[in-house]
């Protein structure tokens, strides 16, 4: 008997860290991606879609906080040649590969946008998934900060295009060159040997990127001796002295009332560093270009506390933050935070070709942006199901299907009930679950007389809940109409519930 | 010195069997998916998006021609618990998992559509990629063949919605139950013990699915002793006798002048098999339901030569074929062939829950359909690039960016040239590569006078190619207009080149 033991049934579960998206979750995201794509295209960006899979060597290792090889990505070996392949973890690494591979064919500068899922092999957490959407725009081959300014302006336009009101977001701009200038002044960057203090600078970068999370004291600890968290775990710091730490923290807190004052303060902080001075000049130029197009500091502002975690940025960096408050899962008010970010990365294409290619771009975290709009009540409103043509007589399916086709021909979503028609109550329960506004009913008697019953399910539900007997009688929710007037009657009912 | 040897540069190449899609290739596919989704939604189907990754056990092994475990899929082990994960190879296996996982929450019947890439770990070939798009619609929980008829009708609607004319396609319908009835009559199916002759039936199924490729003689060989191909490789056959093979081939060739005659012929072939008779009755019912809605045999026809390779189908199967001829890579005329297929699979959800759940659906091969439309010259026409605002004076980038913004505000795609502006000829070459219809030019002189030059690049290129000196003079391709009239002038030029 034991020999005949069956294989156990597979578990009906998405792998941990992955989820399914239903109905409006899918269509609302598609609409958001469309709206963003329209803004990108209007700015002259062209679509690119690379495959989800790249060679591990082409992807490189640019994830923040990841040191071990292949960590952070889903990777596997090819059967035949043993090459390692992996799922992309962002859209920038594949773009660098494309820019190198097609460098003789693409226009230069090359503006491209792309949208799709990326995958991170990380520990999943609440609201933290291992597959999520990114929607990127990048310009490859444009050295001027005009390209960075364009990306920032376009980001502001994209946010407004998807329904974030002006005033509800801010694009904050900083420059890695200024930060490096500050590092030079603090003595942890030696322009004559950039490899010195590399580890320390990495620690400083990651520390100040966590300002929101750990606060000033936490960041000070991380750039100094180190930080003990609540559980007693100790993270080794960058080892900067108090004076050095003061310089770095001064940079973080250099934001002033307007862009000109912020730039002036930054200029003071980088005195003695050529790189730092160059960075400040770039920020001034970005502010001026944006100003010329009417993007004031209510939309885009210079803010030295933005650093972005990724190691590959070499110049301007930017981040879009939603400024309104939402309630978190524990009912506490908090700022929604970052929904997009990017910056200039002049060395990524060089990995392939040996030649430096200037590039800058932005990535919008579409799933976070959708969550923000839902938290604001701007999405997920009134999803309406299709009209359901019920089945009174299973031998007349052809007629019912023809009725549904007639409704569709008039632009109305419609379907025939395809479950077991025996219990009519189940058909109405189904229509209810489908959020159908209208049901069509035609039994043998109605068919003979050439009429159908058109049932207003929304009104019907309302009456069932609230109405007195008198109201019930005076407000019929079901109408008998000649078959030739079915479409018109349904349109009339649907018009009541529009917007 | 050897110690300082650098790591070799990564190769800038997509992994073999994968490709990149640029510009119109991406947007045309997106438009096609949108058009199909609109048809699916009109029929009451709801969107579903599962993640690309599933557990290997949930995916199961349903690829045709694949016997070894994990063959055909990209799979890897989780770091922590050693579980095998894999990329989906179709959209049906994830749907079965979802239908089982959410069986208490989803409406029943559940109509859903989904679209996105799937991955096959197969040997790539010319035009054969390891990532491609599918666009599926399925109904879960509807036992009646009305669900199959609906899918077939919707498939015809979808093909017309994306631009395939009526007459240029046909949806062919068959029924596995009829085929199994024929197998029973031929003596390779024993209804009292369905496990008997399973291998033989699998071989027969795969053989007749290759009728188009191998012809009648090839199929006869494969269901008989075996087939030797041109290279001398021998494929073992199902071992059927000539009489048995006659029965099977009779089924393949049972198509008659109309659906009624075809069904009558099939009824003869399955005499003695209850299952076969049931299958013929289902086909008759499908034909009748489609007829009632006006889908005649010019669009949807019963054709016993359709079997579909996948092993999991249990009832009606269908395939959409484009009937026009195209030229293949060697310039030979050939039929374009299949672009979509599907059928009824009543056992897939049962794998998870132990309970049979009737299901039926269709998958459209979007990339093949796009290729067909391109071969027909229906796509890839006149992609037009953005207006390019050129840079005469790099200190006035803000002004140029403001001009582009002004054009965009009027709904015109526009961008500023972001390369090195020194060589103006390069800017015009860039505009040419971008297929720009118009360039905007404003030097210091024009700026002072408050004007811009609007250059019609399409006319300019035409004149440069064809014109006599007289024509050149009488047809100016460049106009000086006050800055306030720039948008209007550009609109006027663009209007010339519309449609």
């Amino acid at each position: 008997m034991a020999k005949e033991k069956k294989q156990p049934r597979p578990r009906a579960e998405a792998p941990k860290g992955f989820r399914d998206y239903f109905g409006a979750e899918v269509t609302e995201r598609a609409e958001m991606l469309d709206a963003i794509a329209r803004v990108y295209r209007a700015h002259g960006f062209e679509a690119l879609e690379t495959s989800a899979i790249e060679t591990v060597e082409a992807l490189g290792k640019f994830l923040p906080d990841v040191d071990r090889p292949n960590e952070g990505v889903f990777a596997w070996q090819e059967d035949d040649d043993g090459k390692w392949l992996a799922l992309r973890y962002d859209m920038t690494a594949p773009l660098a590969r494309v820019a190198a591979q097609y460098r003789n064919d693409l226009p230069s500068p090359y503006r491209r946008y792309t949208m799709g899922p990326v995958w991170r092999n990380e520990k999943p957490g609440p609201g933290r998934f291992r597959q999520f959407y990114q929607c990127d725009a990048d310009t490859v081959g444009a050295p001027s900060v005009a390209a960075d300014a364009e990306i920032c302006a376009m980001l502001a336009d994209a946010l407004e295009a998807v329904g974030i009101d002006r005033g509800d977001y801010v694009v904050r701009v900083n420059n890695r060159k200024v930060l490096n200038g500050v590092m030079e002044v603090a003595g942890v960057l030696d322009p004559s040997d950039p490899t010195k203090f590399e580890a320390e600078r990495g620690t400083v970068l990651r520390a100040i990127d966590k300002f929101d999370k750990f606060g000033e004291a936490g960041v000070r600890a991380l750039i100094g001796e180190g930080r003990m968290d609540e559980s007693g775990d100790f993270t080794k710091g960058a080892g900067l002295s108090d004076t050095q730490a003061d310089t770095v923290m001064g940079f973080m807190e250099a934001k002033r009332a307007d862009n000109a004052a912020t730039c002036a303060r930054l200029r003071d902080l980088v005195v003695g560093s050529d790189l730092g001075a160059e960075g400040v000049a770039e920020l001034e130029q970005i502010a001026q270009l944006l100003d010329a197009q009417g993007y004031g500091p209510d939309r885009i502002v210079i803010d030295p506390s933005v650093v972005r975690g990724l190691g590959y940025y070499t110049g301007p960096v930017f981040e879009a933050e939603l400024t309104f408050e939402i309630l978190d899962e524990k009912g506490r008010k908090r700022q929604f935070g970052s929904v997009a970010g990017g910056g200039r990365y002049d060395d990524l294409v060089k990995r392939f070709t040996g030649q430096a290619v200037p590039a800058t771009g932005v990535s919008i975290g579409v799933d976070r942006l959708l969550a923000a709009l839902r938290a604001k009540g701007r999405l997920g409103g009134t999803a309406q199901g299709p009209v359901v043509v019920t089945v009174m007589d299973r031998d007349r399916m052809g007629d019912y299907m023809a009725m549904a086709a007639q409704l569709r021909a008039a632009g109305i979503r419609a379907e025939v009930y395809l479950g077991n028609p025996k219990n009519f109550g189940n058909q109405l329960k189904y229509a209810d679950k489908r959020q159908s506004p209208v049901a069509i009913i035609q039994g043998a008697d109605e068919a003979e007389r050439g009429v159908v019953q058109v049932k207003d399910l929304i009104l019907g539900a309302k009456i069932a809940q609230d109405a007195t007997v008198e109201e019930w009688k005076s407000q019929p929710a079901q109408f008998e109409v000649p078959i030739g007037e079915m479409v018109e009657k349904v349109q009339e009912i649907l018009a009541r519930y529009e917007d």
Side-chain angles (χ1 to χ4, degrees), chain A residues 16 41 45 56 67 83 132 171 244 328 337 408 420 459:
Chain A
K16 65 176 195 302
R41 279 185 57 75
F45 286 67
V56 163
D67 299 317
K83 265 198 187 150
F132 53 93
V171 178
Q244 289 176 313
D328 68 10
R408 282 195 295 271
N420 186 336
L459 181 61

Side-chain angles (χ1 to χ4, degrees), chain A residues 97-365:
Chain A
R97 193 263 302 155
V98 165
Q101 182 171 350
Y102 303 92
R103 62 188 175 283
N104 298 324
D105 307 311
L106 291 171
S108 177
Y110 174 49
R111 288 177 174 95
R112 85 88 180 80
Y113 70 90
T114 196
M115 38 192 57
V118 301
W119 293 267
R120 302 268 169 100
N121 192 357
E122 291 168 349
K123 213 177 140 177
R128 189 182 158 105
F129 297 99
R130 304 205 286 171
Q131 171 175 325
F132 53 93
Y133 268 74
Q134 287 190 338
C135 180
D136 286 25
D138 294 76
T139 303
V140 178
S144 141
V145 293
D148 304 279
E150 175 178 72
I151 296 271
C152 291
M154 190 168 69
L155 175 54
D157 287 0
L159 292 174
E160 294 184 19
V162 303
I164 306 286
D165 291 336
R166 202 168 294 182
D168 273 350
Y169 71 91
V170 63
V171 178
R172 303 187 297 154
V173 186
N174 193 9
N175 195 325
R176 277 286 172 84
K177 289 181 183 171
V178 182
L179 175 59
N180 282 331
V182 170
M183 301 259 208
E184 191 182 338
V185 172
V188 285
L189 174 69
D190 178 352
S192 69
D193 181 3
T195 61
K196 269 168 79 173
F197 311 116
E198 227 169 20
E200 286 82 356
R201 289 199 303 278
T203 307
V204 169
L205 200 61
R206 285 192 293 273
I208 60 186
D209 195 34
K210 289 182 178 141
F211 191 88
D212 283 355
K213 200 169 161 192
F214 296 148
E216 199 198 321
V219 174
R220 266 198 178 264
L222 280 170
I223 63 181
E225 286 311 306
R227 179 176 175 273
M228 177 98 68
D229 71 13
E230 284 152 27
S231 73
D233 281 347
F234 184 75
T235 308
K236 194 167 171 295
L240 269 61
S241 72
D242 281 356
T243 326
Q244 289 176 313
D246 282 348
T247 310
V248 172
M249 297 307 292
F251 168 76
M252 291 286 295
E253 292 154 1
K255 186 164 182 291
R256 294 294 178 267
D258 60 47
N259 287 343
T262 303
C263 287
R265 169 69 183 143
L266 288 175
R267 207 168 273 288
D268 286 347
L269 281 170
V270 297
V271 162
S273 162
D274 290 346
L275 189 68
E278 189 183 315
V280 177
E282 287 182 2
L283 284 177
E284 284 168 340
Q285 209 182 330
I286 289 173
Q288 176 216 315
L289 287 170
L290 291 169
D291 209 45
Q293 298 169 74
Y295 293 86
D298 57 324
R299 287 193 273 174
I300 309 178
V301 68
I302 290 171
D303 183 340
S305 69
V306 176
V307 299
R308 307 291 305 157
L310 290 173
Y312 56 61
Y313 291 123
T314 54
V317 288
F318 20 87
E319 189 163 81
E321 194 179 306
L322 302 189
T323 51
F324 53 77
E325 287 179 333
I326 55 151
L327 298 180
D328 68 10
E329 57 280 12
K330 291 182 181 153
R332 291 168 307 204
K333 276 188 183 177
R334 62 171 185 80
Q335 294 254 309
F336 192 86
S338 171
V339 290
R344 179 165 283 275
Y345 50 98
D346 285 350
D347 296 329
L348 273 190
V349 182
K350 191 180 179 183
R351 290 181 57 235
F352 295 98
T353 61
Q355 284 186 304
V357 177
T360 182
V362 68
S363 179
I364 297 183

